[in-house]
Amino acid sequence: LAQAIFGSSKTPSVHCFSQVVCPFDMCFFSLVLNAAAFWATRPGLVGSAVVSCTDDGNDYEYSESVSGTVRTITTNHCPNHPTYNLNPNYAVGESTTYRVPAFPSFVGTTTASGTASASIDLSEQGGAVGVLFSGGKLFSPYGGAGYGQVSGYSTSAIYNEANTFDQCGGHASSSTQPSYHYHGPPPCLLRQLGQADASHSPQVGWALDGFPIYGPRGPSGVMMQTCTVTDGTYGVDVCTDDCGGYYSADDSIDNFVYRYYLMGNYGDGTSCDVPGCPSPTSAYHPSSPLCFRGCCPSGVSCSLSAIDTCTSDDSDGYTASFSVSVPTINGMSLASGLPQNTGGCPCGALACSVPCDVSDWASAGCGSPSPSPQNCPATPSPTMSPVTSPTMSPAMSPTMSPAMSPTMSSTMSPTVSPAASPTMKPTMSPTTSPTMSPTMSPTMSPTMSPT
């Protein structure tokens, strides 16, 4: 190609993207290889090295069933709502099955509110402690070894990472395995399930000990907090224990005796601002379960091996009115999952907006210093096979130097790609191709770089 353009067997040297001087044809070949590798990881393409989730929720999978004493949940962990990556990772899909107790058991006394009465401490528990109906995982407040064991709000994931939560309240922690998760209230899911300010939050998922998980509002719409924060009396006042759960066995909420709450401030599920704002403040710690009050009954192989086996001292976690079933929330059965949630702000319409007025974050910045490149993926050209003939992404196209021949076609005009990051600068339109003149100057800028 270089010989055809420059009419010489000697190809000029230019600076490749690694800043190493090499022949132009080698740089071009390197660019093509990188383009092919990049395209191979796009969502939904055959032969992908990693199956990344789409950013609009249309590849969501979730199903739920009950057989005997076991509730089985299968999901690919691709959320059913829009997502955006504000850290170096992105949502990855893979079918995963969970087995949780259909008839949970309660550990400890009904009036004990301290973590000492819990069956399992989650203050250093990484990974999923629950599954939400959106397909995302629920993590405990633990954010990893970098922050250490959760001893309060300042060591929680909300404090240290919430500026990387997307418009629907979640983020990913890996790009090689399913990891999209939440540490607090999921606003897009709450909106889809019918959250109202004056009423109890809808159920949003299941904890792996078998108890239900609700949004941030308790009886009569009260914003739930621990009794430690409110100075209330556990078992008398409407407040949670230090695990983030609430004991009530009068069938006024459900037919369980205990349930967890994702506590804290939350948005309406339509905002186009990122990071997600408002965000749970220190008054709502812990925003996800800090410990479990359930155990693993005999005959159930619980998915979370850390859950202790029940003993004769433990009691039924459900009332006499309980009848096991797959829930129906806001008129939608969870047997085959929820519809795609199109109410959240789409990826291409987002804008960074910091600081967040309702937050207690360690960093007020818009995401991590190195966000993932897997944002707002471009749609493959319908006229070319996405496997054998990839269309080069506009994000990979080199910006042509003004030093190149002025005879280049003027039809290439600056546009802003609709799939671009909220802060991405304008790039050259991917819909037109420059007409290269045979008299194109052989002098190319040494600063040629990808956009």
Side-chain angles (χ1 to χ4, degrees), residues 27-66:
C27 287
F28 182 82
F29 183 64
S30 175
L31 175 63
V32 171
L33 288 180
N34 278 281
F38 176 85
W39 196 263
T41 63
R42 305 315 296 162
L45 298 187
V46 177
S48 297
V50 175
V51 181
S52 55
C53 303
T54 61
D55 61 36
D56 61 1
N58 69 2
D59 55 354
Y60 156 82
E61 295 175 4
Y62 181 101
S63 64
E64 184 178 323
S65 61
V66 177

PDB file of all heavy atoms in Angstrom, residues 27-66:
ATOM      1  N   CYS A  27       3.512  -0.097  10.354  1.00  0.00           N
ATOM      2  CA  CYS A  27       2.562   0.585  11.242  1.00  0.00           C
ATOM      3  C   CYS A  27       1.131   0.304  10.806  1.00  0.00           C
ATOM      4  O   CYS A  27       0.253   0.036  11.621  1.00  0.00           O
ATOM      5  CB  CYS A  27       2.805   2.091  11.230  1.00  0.00           C
ATOM      6  SG  CYS A  27       4.289   2.585  12.108  1.00  0.00           S
ATOM      7  N   PHE A  28       0.911   0.372   9.488  1.00  0.00           N
ATOM      8  CA  PHE A  28      -0.434   0.140   8.967  1.00  0.00           C
ATOM      9  C   PHE A  28      -0.877  -1.286   9.276  1.00  0.00           C
ATOM     10  O   PHE A  28      -2.002  -1.535   9.717  1.00  0.00           O
ATOM     11  CB  PHE A  28      -0.447   0.381   7.460  1.00  0.00           C
ATOM     12  CG  PHE A  28      -1.812   0.204   6.839  1.00  0.00           C
ATOM     13  CD1 PHE A  28      -2.741   1.231   6.893  1.00  0.00           C
ATOM     14  CD2 PHE A  28      -2.166  -0.986   6.229  1.00  0.00           C
ATOM     15  CE1 PHE A  28      -3.999   1.070   6.335  1.00  0.00           C
ATOM     16  CE2 PHE A  28      -3.419  -1.154   5.678  1.00  0.00           C
ATOM     17  CZ  PHE A  28      -4.338  -0.121   5.724  1.00  0.00           C
ATOM     18  N   PHE A  29       0.044  -2.249   9.086  1.00  0.00           N
ATOM     19  CA  PHE A  29      -0.271  -3.650   9.369  1.00  0.00           C
ATOM     20  C   PHE A  29      -0.589  -3.834  10.852  1.00  0.00           C
ATOM     21  O   PHE A  29      -1.523  -4.533  11.230  1.00  0.00           O
ATOM     22  CB  PHE A  29       0.915  -4.527   8.964  1.00  0.00           C
ATOM     23  CG  PHE A  29       0.676  -6.004   9.157  1.00  0.00           C
ATOM     24  CD1 PHE A  29      -0.313  -6.661   8.430  1.00  0.00           C
ATOM     25  CD2 PHE A  29       1.422  -6.735  10.068  1.00  0.00           C
ATOM     26  CE1 PHE A  29      -0.536  -8.018   8.599  1.00  0.00           C
ATOM     27  CE2 PHE A  29       1.199  -8.085  10.244  1.00  0.00           C
ATOM     28  CZ  PHE A  29       0.220  -8.728   9.505  1.00  0.00           C
ATOM     29  N   SER A  30       0.192  -3.160  11.711  1.00  0.00           N
ATOM     30  CA  SER A  30      -0.053  -3.230  13.151  1.00  0.00           C
ATOM     31  C   SER A  30      -1.424  -2.669  13.499  1.00  0.00           C
ATOM     32  O   SER A  30      -2.151  -3.210  14.327  1.00  0.00           O
ATOM     33  CB  SER A  30       1.035  -2.463  13.899  1.00  0.00           C
ATOM     34  OG  SER A  30       0.760  -2.424  15.282  1.00  0.00           O
ATOM     35  N   LEU A  31      -1.790  -1.566  12.833  1.00  0.00           N
ATOM     36  CA  LEU A  31      -3.093  -0.954  13.076  1.00  0.00           C
ATOM     37  C   LEU A  31      -4.219  -1.904  12.712  1.00  0.00           C
ATOM     38  O   LEU A  31      -5.195  -2.056  13.439  1.00  0.00           O
ATOM     39  CB  LEU A  31      -3.214   0.339  12.269  1.00  0.00           C
ATOM     40  CG  LEU A  31      -4.573   1.055  12.325  1.00  0.00           C
ATOM     41  CD1 LEU A  31      -4.860   1.500  13.752  1.00  0.00           C
ATOM     42  CD2 LEU A  31      -4.584   2.241  11.388  1.00  0.00           C
ATOM     43  N   VAL A  32      -4.080  -2.593  11.558  1.00  0.00           N
ATOM     44  CA  VAL A  32      -5.110  -3.535  11.122  1.00  0.00           C
ATOM     45  C   VAL A  32      -5.250  -4.680  12.115  1.00  0.00           C
ATOM     46  O   VAL A  32      -6.357  -5.092  12.476  1.00  0.00           O
ATOM     47  CB  VAL A  32      -4.785  -4.074   9.714  1.00  0.00           C
ATOM     48  CG1 VAL A  32      -5.737  -5.209   9.343  1.00  0.00           C
ATOM     49  CG2 VAL A  32      -4.875  -2.957   8.688  1.00  0.00           C
ATOM     50  N   LEU A  33      -4.117  -5.215  12.592  1.00  0.00           N
ATOM     51  CA  LEU A  33      -4.167  -6.306  13.563  1.00  0.00           C
ATOM     52  C   LEU A  33      -4.847  -5.864  14.849  1.00  0.00           C
ATOM     53  O   LEU A  33      -5.661  -6.582  15.424  1.00  0.00           O
ATOM     54  CB  LEU A  33      -2.757  -6.811  13.865  1.00  0.00           C
ATOM     55  CG  LEU A  33      -2.065  -7.616  12.765  1.00  0.00           C
ATOM     56  CD1 LEU A  33      -0.673  -8.040  13.230  1.00  0.00           C
ATOM     57  CD2 LEU A  33      -2.881  -8.849  12.398  1.00  0.00           C
ATOM     58  N   ASN A  34      -4.504  -4.663  15.304  1.00  0.00           N
ATOM     59  CA  ASN A  34      -5.137  -4.156  16.522  1.00  0.00           C
ATOM     60  C   ASN A  34      -6.622  -3.914  16.319  1.00  0.00           C
ATOM     61  O   ASN A  34      -7.431  -4.145  17.212  1.00  0.00           O
ATOM     62  CB  ASN A  34      -4.457  -2.864  16.981  1.00  0.00           C
ATOM     63  CG  ASN A  34      -3.183  -3.129  17.762  1.00  0.00           C
ATOM     64  OD1 ASN A  34      -3.225  -3.459  18.939  1.00  0.00           O
ATOM     65  ND2 ASN A  34      -2.042  -3.015  17.086  1.00  0.00           N
ATOM     66  N   ALA A  35      -6.990  -3.451  15.125  1.00  0.00           N
ATOM     67  CA  ALA A  35      -8.404  -3.235  14.829  1.00  0.00           C
ATOM     68  C   ALA A  35      -9.164  -4.548  14.866  1.00  0.00           C
ATOM     69  O   ALA A  35     -10.262  -4.645  15.414  1.00  0.00           O
ATOM     70  CB  ALA A  35      -8.554  -2.572  13.458  1.00  0.00           C
ATOM     71  N   ALA A  36      -8.563  -5.600  14.283  1.00  0.00           N
ATOM     72  CA  ALA A  36      -9.219  -6.910  14.271  1.00  0.00           C
ATOM     73  C   ALA A  36      -9.369  -7.457  15.683  1.00  0.00           C
ATOM     74  O   ALA A  36     -10.404  -8.010  16.050  1.00  0.00           O
ATOM     75  CB  ALA A  36      -8.414  -7.884  13.408  1.00  0.00           C
ATOM     76  N   ALA A  37      -8.312  -7.286  16.488  1.00  0.00           N
ATOM     77  CA  ALA A  37      -8.382  -7.767  17.872  1.00  0.00           C
ATOM     78  C   ALA A  37      -9.436  -7.012  18.654  1.00  0.00           C
ATOM     79  O   ALA A  37     -10.188  -7.579  19.446  1.00  0.00           O
ATOM     80  CB  ALA A  37      -7.014  -7.612  18.540  1.00  0.00           C
ATOM     81  N   PHE A  38      -9.504  -5.698  18.432  1.00  0.00           N
ATOM     82  CA  PHE A  38     -10.505  -4.875  19.119  1.00  0.00           C
ATOM     83  C   PHE A  38     -11.906  -5.317  18.728  1.00  0.00           C
ATOM     84  O   PHE A  38     -12.777  -5.502  19.566  1.00  0.00           O
ATOM     85  CB  PHE A  38     -10.284  -3.409  18.747  1.00  0.00           C
ATOM     86  CG  PHE A  38     -11.314  -2.469  19.322  1.00  0.00           C
ATOM     87  CD1 PHE A  38     -11.158  -1.967  20.599  1.00  0.00           C
ATOM     88  CD2 PHE A  38     -12.418  -2.085  18.585  1.00  0.00           C
ATOM     89  CE1 PHE A  38     -12.091  -1.096  21.134  1.00  0.00           C
ATOM     90  CE2 PHE A  38     -13.355  -1.221  19.112  1.00  0.00           C
ATOM     91  CZ  PHE A  38     -13.183  -0.720  20.386  1.00  0.00           C
ATOM     92  N   TRP A  39     -12.122  -5.515  17.421  1.00  0.00           N
ATOM     93  CA  TRP A  39     -13.458  -5.871  16.946  1.00  0.00           C
ATOM     94  C   TRP A  39     -13.888  -7.242  17.448  1.00  0.00           C
ATOM     95  O   TRP A  39     -15.055  -7.495  17.697  1.00  0.00           O
ATOM     96  CB  TRP A  39     -13.488  -5.829  15.424  1.00  0.00           C
ATOM     97  CG  TRP A  39     -14.891  -5.803  14.928  1.00  0.00           C
ATOM     98  CD1 TRP A  39     -15.652  -6.839  14.501  1.00  0.00           C
ATOM     99  CD2 TRP A  39     -15.730  -4.643  14.855  1.00  0.00           C
ATOM    100  NE1 TRP A  39     -16.907  -6.406  14.163  1.00  0.00           N
ATOM    101  CE2 TRP A  39     -16.980  -5.073  14.367  1.00  0.00           C
ATOM    102  CE3 TRP A  39     -15.535  -3.295  15.153  1.00  0.00           C
ATOM    103  CZ2 TRP A  39     -18.031  -4.195  14.168  1.00  0.00           C
ATOM    104  CZ3 TRP A  39     -16.584  -2.422  14.952  1.00  0.00           C
ATOM    105  CH2 TRP A  39     -17.811  -2.872  14.471  1.00  0.00           C
ATOM    106  N   ALA A  40     -12.925  -8.141  17.626  1.00  0.00           N
ATOM    107  CA  ALA A  40     -13.253  -9.499  18.064  1.00  0.00           C
ATOM    108  C   ALA A  40     -13.852  -9.538  19.450  1.00  0.00           C
ATOM    109  O   ALA A  40     -14.486 -10.510  19.834  1.00  0.00           O
ATOM    110  CB  ALA A  40     -11.997 -10.375  18.034  1.00  0.00           C
ATOM    111  N   THR A  41     -13.658  -8.486  20.232  1.00  0.00           N
ATOM    112  CA  THR A  41     -14.205  -8.467  21.590  1.00  0.00           C
ATOM    113  C   THR A  41     -15.484  -7.664  21.688  1.00  0.00           C
ATOM    114  O   THR A  41     -15.982  -7.429  22.778  1.00  0.00           O
ATOM    115  CB  THR A  41     -13.179  -7.868  22.578  1.00  0.00           C
ATOM    116  OG1 THR A  41     -12.916  -6.510  22.225  1.00  0.00           O
ATOM    117  CG2 THR A  41     -11.890  -8.658  22.576  1.00  0.00           C
ATOM    118  N   ARG A  42     -16.048  -7.224  20.572  1.00  0.00           N
ATOM    119  CA  ARG A  42     -17.283  -6.456  20.649  1.00  0.00           C
ATOM    120  C   ARG A  42     -18.437  -7.350  21.052  1.00  0.00           C
ATOM    121  O   ARG A  42     -18.426  -8.560  20.809  1.00  0.00           O
ATOM    122  CB  ARG A  42     -17.618  -5.781  19.312  1.00  0.00           C
ATOM    123  CG  ARG A  42     -16.516  -4.903  18.768  1.00  0.00           C
ATOM    124  CD  ARG A  42     -15.909  -4.014  19.822  1.00  0.00           C
ATOM    125  NE  ARG A  42     -16.865  -3.073  20.354  1.00  0.00           N
ATOM    126  CZ  ARG A  42     -16.698  -2.436  21.498  1.00  0.00           C
ATOM    127  NH1 ARG A  42     -15.662  -2.666  22.247  1.00  0.00           N
ATOM    128  NH2 ARG A  42     -17.603  -1.578  21.903  1.00  0.00           N
ATOM    129  N   PRO A  43     -19.484  -6.808  21.676  1.00  0.00           N
ATOM    130  CA  PRO A  43     -20.590  -7.614  22.180  1.00  0.00           C
ATOM    131  C   PRO A  43     -21.284  -8.414  21.094  1.00  0.00           C
ATOM    132  O   PRO A  43     -21.552  -7.912  20.007  1.00  0.00           O
ATOM    133  CB  PRO A  43     -21.542  -6.564  22.764  1.00  0.00           C
ATOM    134  CG  PRO A  43     -20.677  -5.388  23.062  1.00  0.00           C
ATOM    135  CD  PRO A  43     -19.619  -5.396  22.000  1.00  0.00           C
ATOM    136  N   GLY A  44     -21.560  -9.685  21.410  1.00  0.00           N
ATOM    137  CA  GLY A  44     -22.419 -10.495  20.568  1.00  0.00           C
ATOM    138  C   GLY A  44     -21.777 -11.057  19.319  1.00  0.00           C
ATOM    139  O   GLY A  44     -22.461 -11.665  18.510  1.00  0.00           O
ATOM    140  N   LEU A  45     -20.485 -10.905  19.100  1.00  0.00           N
ATOM    141  CA  LEU A  45     -19.867 -11.395  17.885  1.00  0.00           C
ATOM    142  C   LEU A  45     -19.379 -12.824  18.066  1.00  0.00           C
ATOM    143  O   LEU A  45     -18.840 -13.186  19.098  1.00  0.00           O
ATOM    144  CB  LEU A  45     -18.691 -10.500  17.480  1.00  0.00           C
ATOM    145  CG  LEU A  45     -19.056  -9.044  17.172  1.00  0.00           C
ATOM    146  CD1 LEU A  45     -17.836  -8.331  16.618  1.00  0.00           C
ATOM    147  CD2 LEU A  45     -20.190  -8.966  16.164  1.00  0.00           C
ATOM    148  N   VAL A  46     -19.572 -13.645  17.023  1.00  0.00           N
ATOM    149  CA  VAL A  46     -19.138 -15.029  17.072  1.00  0.00           C
ATOM    150  C   VAL A  46     -17.622 -15.074  17.188  1.00  0.00           C
ATOM    151  O   VAL A  46     -16.904 -14.324  16.529  1.00  0.00           O
ATOM    152  CB  VAL A  46     -19.602 -15.774  15.805  1.00  0.00           C
ATOM    153  CG1 VAL A  46     -19.095 -17.205  15.818  1.00  0.00           C
ATOM    154  CG2 VAL A  46     -21.116 -15.747  15.705  1.00  0.00           C
ATOM    155  N   GLY A  47     -17.115 -15.966  18.018  1.00  0.00           N
ATOM    156  CA  GLY A  47     -15.684 -16.115  18.150  1.00  0.00           C
ATOM    157  C   GLY A  47     -15.045 -15.106  19.075  1.00  0.00           C
ATOM    158  O   GLY A  47     -13.838 -14.983  19.109  1.00  0.00           O
ATOM    159  N   SER A  48     -15.840 -14.355  19.843  1.00  0.00           N
ATOM    160  CA  SER A  48     -15.284 -13.363  20.745  1.00  0.00           C
ATOM    161  C   SER A  48     -14.430 -14.031  21.811  1.00  0.00           C
ATOM    162  O   SER A  48     -14.778 -15.081  22.342  1.00  0.00           O
ATOM    163  CB  SER A  48     -16.410 -12.580  21.426  1.00  0.00           C
ATOM    164  OG  SER A  48     -17.168 -11.871  20.484  1.00  0.00           O
ATOM    165  N   ALA A  49     -13.298 -13.410  22.116  1.00  0.00           N
ATOM    166  CA  ALA A  49     -12.458 -13.920  23.187  1.00  0.00           C
ATOM    167  C   ALA A  49     -13.153 -13.728  24.528  1.00  0.00           C
ATOM    168  O   ALA A  49     -13.050 -14.558  25.414  1.00  0.00           O
ATOM    169  CB  ALA A  49     -11.114 -13.201  23.171  1.00  0.00           C
ATOM    170  N   VAL A  50     -13.859 -12.613  24.673  1.00  0.00           N
ATOM    171  CA  VAL A  50     -14.627 -12.313  25.874  1.00  0.00           C
ATOM    172  C   VAL A  50     -16.002 -11.835  25.433  1.00  0.00           C
ATOM    173  O   VAL A  50     -16.113 -11.000  24.542  1.00  0.00           O
ATOM    174  CB  VAL A  50     -13.939 -11.211  26.712  1.00  0.00           C
ATOM    175  CG1 VAL A  50     -14.819 -10.825  27.889  1.00  0.00           C
ATOM    176  CG2 VAL A  50     -12.583 -11.694  27.217  1.00  0.00           C
ATOM    177  N   VAL A  51     -17.053 -12.395  26.019  1.00  0.00           N
ATOM    178  CA  VAL A  51     -18.405 -11.990  25.648  1.00  0.00           C
ATOM    179  C   VAL A  51     -18.824 -10.845  26.557  1.00  0.00           C
ATOM    180  O   VAL A  51     -19.296 -11.052  27.671  1.00  0.00           O
ATOM    181  CB  VAL A  51     -19.396 -13.167  25.763  1.00  0.00           C
ATOM    182  CG1 VAL A  51     -20.792 -12.729  25.336  1.00  0.00           C
ATOM    183  CG2 VAL A  51     -18.932 -14.331  24.911  1.00  0.00           C
ATOM    184  N   SER A  52     -18.620  -9.626  26.102  1.00  0.00           N
ATOM    185  CA  SER A  52     -19.005  -8.470  26.898  1.00  0.00           C
ATOM    186  C   SER A  52     -20.487  -8.185  26.699  1.00  0.00           C
ATOM    187  O   SER A  52     -21.058  -8.448  25.648  1.00  0.00           O
ATOM    188  CB  SER A  52     -18.164  -7.250  26.509  1.00  0.00           C
ATOM    189  OG  SER A  52     -18.250  -6.988  25.132  1.00  0.00           O
ATOM    190  N   CYS A  53     -21.117  -7.662  27.743  1.00  0.00           N
ATOM    191  CA  CYS A  53     -22.540  -7.355  27.690  1.00  0.00           C
ATOM    192  C   CYS A  53     -22.774  -6.085  26.871  1.00  0.00           C
ATOM    193  O   CYS A  53     -21.936  -5.185  26.853  1.00  0.00           O
ATOM    194  CB  CYS A  53     -23.089  -7.144  29.098  1.00  0.00           C
ATOM    195  SG  CYS A  53     -22.850  -8.547  30.217  1.00  0.00           S
ATOM    196  N   THR A  54     -23.910  -5.998  26.212  1.00  0.00           N
ATOM    197  CA  THR A  54     -24.262  -4.779  25.505  1.00  0.00           C
ATOM    198  C   THR A  54     -24.560  -3.675  26.513  1.00  0.00           C
ATOM    199  O   THR A  54     -24.848  -3.944  27.678  1.00  0.00           O
ATOM    200  CB  THR A  54     -25.493  -4.989  24.611  1.00  0.00           C
ATOM    201  OG1 THR A  54     -26.611  -5.368  25.426  1.00  0.00           O
ATOM    202  CG2 THR A  54     -25.234  -6.075  23.573  1.00  0.00           C
ATOM    203  N   ASP A  55     -24.495  -2.421  26.068  1.00  0.00           N
ATOM    204  CA  ASP A  55     -24.692  -1.314  27.005  1.00  0.00           C
ATOM    205  C   ASP A  55     -26.145  -0.889  27.139  1.00  0.00           C
ATOM    206  O   ASP A  55     -26.450   0.075  27.839  1.00  0.00           O
ATOM    207  CB  ASP A  55     -23.829  -0.110  26.606  1.00  0.00           C
ATOM    208  CG  ASP A  55     -24.174   0.436  25.228  1.00  0.00           C
ATOM    209  OD1 ASP A  55     -25.363   0.436  24.862  1.00  0.00           O
ATOM    210  OD2 ASP A  55     -23.264   0.873  24.509  1.00  0.00           O
ATOM    211  N   ASP A  56     -27.079  -1.608  26.467  1.00  0.00           N
ATOM    212  CA  ASP A  56     -28.490  -1.214  26.552  1.00  0.00           C
ATOM    213  C   ASP A  56     -29.371  -2.265  27.222  1.00  0.00           C
ATOM    214  O   ASP A  56     -30.580  -2.096  27.315  1.00  0.00           O
ATOM    215  CB  ASP A  56     -29.038  -0.892  25.160  1.00  0.00           C
ATOM    216  CG  ASP A  56     -28.981  -2.081  24.200  1.00  0.00           C
ATOM    217  OD1 ASP A  56     -28.533  -3.176  24.623  1.00  0.00           O
ATOM    218  OD2 ASP A  56     -29.374  -1.914  23.030  1.00  0.00           O
ATOM    219  N   GLY A  57     -28.778  -3.368  27.676  1.00  0.00           N
ATOM    220  CA  GLY A  57     -29.531  -4.377  28.414  1.00  0.00           C
ATOM    221  C   GLY A  57     -30.271  -5.393  27.579  1.00  0.00           C
ATOM    222  O   GLY A  57     -31.036  -6.197  28.128  1.00  0.00           O
ATOM    223  N   ASN A  58     -30.050  -5.429  26.257  1.00  0.00           N
ATOM    224  CA  ASN A  58     -30.858  -6.330  25.428  1.00  0.00           C
ATOM    225  C   ASN A  58     -30.349  -7.767  25.398  1.00  0.00           C
ATOM    226  O   ASN A  58     -30.975  -8.629  24.777  1.00  0.00           O
ATOM    227  CB  ASN A  58     -31.000  -5.785  23.999  1.00  0.00           C
ATOM    228  CG  ASN A  58     -29.701  -5.830  23.211  1.00  0.00           C
ATOM    229  OD1 ASN A  58     -28.680  -6.308  23.699  1.00  0.00           O
ATOM    230  ND2 ASN A  58     -29.733  -5.311  21.996  1.00  0.00           N
ATOM    231  N   ASP A  59     -29.228  -8.062  26.062  1.00  0.00           N
ATOM    232  CA  ASP A  59     -28.754  -9.449  26.112  1.00  0.00           C
ATOM    233  C   ASP A  59     -28.908 -10.050  27.510  1.00  0.00           C
ATOM    234  O   ASP A  59     -28.304 -11.059  27.840  1.00  0.00           O
ATOM    235  CB  ASP A  59     -27.303  -9.545  25.640  1.00  0.00           C
ATOM    236  CG  ASP A  59     -26.356  -8.621  26.398  1.00  0.00           C
ATOM    237  OD1 ASP A  59     -26.838  -7.816  27.223  1.00  0.00           O
ATOM    238  OD2 ASP A  59     -25.134  -8.694  26.159  1.00  0.00           O
ATOM    239  N   TYR A  60     -29.746  -9.425  28.322  1.00  0.00           N
ATOM    240  CA  TYR A  60     -30.043  -9.895  29.680  1.00  0.00           C
ATOM    241  C   TYR A  60     -30.739 -11.247  29.665  1.00  0.00           C
ATOM    242  O   TYR A  60     -31.608 -11.509  28.830  1.00  0.00           O
ATOM    243  CB  TYR A  60     -30.929  -8.841  30.335  1.00  0.00           C
ATOM    244  CG  TYR A  60     -31.816  -9.273  31.478  1.00  0.00           C
ATOM    245  CD1 TYR A  60     -31.324  -9.385  32.774  1.00  0.00           C
ATOM    246  CD2 TYR A  60     -33.180  -9.504  31.271  1.00  0.00           C
ATOM    247  CE1 TYR A  60     -32.159  -9.722  33.833  1.00  0.00           C
ATOM    248  CE2 TYR A  60     -34.021  -9.831  32.324  1.00  0.00           C
ATOM    249  CZ  TYR A  60     -33.508  -9.949  33.603  1.00  0.00           C
ATOM    250  OH  TYR A  60     -34.344 -10.273  34.643  1.00  0.00           O
ATOM    251  N   GLU A  61     -30.341 -12.114  30.596  1.00  0.00           N
ATOM    252  CA  GLU A  61     -30.999 -13.407  30.778  1.00  0.00           C
ATOM    253  C   GLU A  61     -31.176 -13.661  32.273  1.00  0.00           C
ATOM    254  O   GLU A  61     -30.243 -13.460  33.059  1.00  0.00           O
ATOM    255  CB  GLU A  61     -30.170 -14.539  30.160  1.00  0.00           C
ATOM    256  CG  GLU A  61     -30.020 -14.454  28.645  1.00  0.00           C
ATOM    257  CD  GLU A  61     -29.095 -15.524  28.090  1.00  0.00           C
ATOM    258  OE1 GLU A  61     -28.629 -16.378  28.889  1.00  0.00           O
ATOM    259  OE2 GLU A  61     -28.823 -15.500  26.878  1.00  0.00           O
ATOM    260  N   TYR A  62     -32.372 -14.089  32.655  1.00  0.00           N
ATOM    261  CA  TYR A  62     -32.657 -14.401  34.055  1.00  0.00           C
ATOM    262  C   TYR A  62     -33.832 -15.363  34.091  1.00  0.00           C
ATOM    263  O   TYR A  62     -34.815 -15.190  33.355  1.00  0.00           O
ATOM    264  CB  TYR A  62     -33.012 -13.125  34.828  1.00  0.00           C
ATOM    265  CG  TYR A  62     -33.315 -13.334  36.303  1.00  0.00           C
ATOM    266  CD1 TYR A  62     -32.361 -13.057  37.280  1.00  0.00           C
ATOM    267  CD2 TYR A  62     -34.562 -13.786  36.728  1.00  0.00           C
ATOM    268  CE1 TYR A  62     -32.633 -13.234  38.633  1.00  0.00           C
ATOM    269  CE2 TYR A  62     -34.845 -13.976  38.075  1.00  0.00           C
ATOM    270  CZ  TYR A  62     -33.879 -13.693  39.024  1.00  0.00           C
ATOM    271  OH  TYR A  62     -34.154 -13.876  40.360  1.00  0.00           O
ATOM    272  N   SER A  63     -33.734 -16.374  34.924  1.00  0.00           N
ATOM    273  CA  SER A  63     -34.869 -17.270  35.155  1.00  0.00           C
ATOM    274  C   SER A  63     -34.826 -17.731  36.605  1.00  0.00           C
ATOM    275  O   SER A  63     -33.761 -17.753  37.235  1.00  0.00           O
ATOM    276  CB  SER A  63     -34.832 -18.473  34.209  1.00  0.00           C
ATOM    277  OG  SER A  63     -33.689 -19.279  34.446  1.00  0.00           O
ATOM    278  N   GLU A  64     -35.986 -18.071  37.126  1.00  0.00           N
ATOM    279  CA  GLU A  64     -36.086 -18.471  38.529  1.00  0.00           C
ATOM    280  C   GLU A  64     -37.142 -19.556  38.673  1.00  0.00           C
ATOM    281  O   GLU A  64     -38.207 -19.490  38.046  1.00  0.00           O
ATOM    282  CB  GLU A  64     -36.452 -17.252  39.381  1.00  0.00           C
ATOM    283  CG  GLU A  64     -36.497 -17.522  40.867  1.00  0.00           C
ATOM    284  CD  GLU A  64     -36.806 -16.266  41.671  1.00  0.00           C
ATOM    285  OE1 GLU A  64     -36.332 -15.168  41.286  1.00  0.00           O
ATOM    286  OE2 GLU A  64     -37.539 -16.381  42.685  1.00  0.00           O
ATOM    287  N   SER A  65     -36.851 -20.555  39.485  1.00  0.00           N
ATOM    288  CA  SER A  65     -37.800 -21.641  39.719  1.00  0.00           C
ATOM    289  C   SER A  65     -37.592 -22.192  41.123  1.00  0.00           C
ATOM    290  O   SER A  65     -36.557 -21.949  41.757  1.00  0.00           O
ATOM    291  CB  SER A  65     -37.617 -22.759  38.683  1.00  0.00           C
ATOM    292  OG  SER A  65     -36.313 -23.316  38.773  1.00  0.00           O
ATOM    293  N   VAL A  66     -38.587 -22.912  41.608  1.00  0.00           N
ATOM    294  CA  VAL A  66     -38.513 -23.541  42.925  1.00  0.00           C
ATOM    295  C   VAL A  66     -38.843 -25.014  42.781  1.00  0.00           C
ATOM    296  O   VAL A  66     -39.830 -25.388  42.131  1.00  0.00           O
ATOM    297  CB  VAL A  66     -39.486 -22.886  43.923  1.00  0.00           C
ATOM    298  CG1 VAL A  66     -39.436 -23.621  45.262  1.00  0.00           C
ATOM    299  CG2 VAL A  66     -39.149 -21.415  44.122  1.00  0.00           C
TER     300      VAL A  66
END
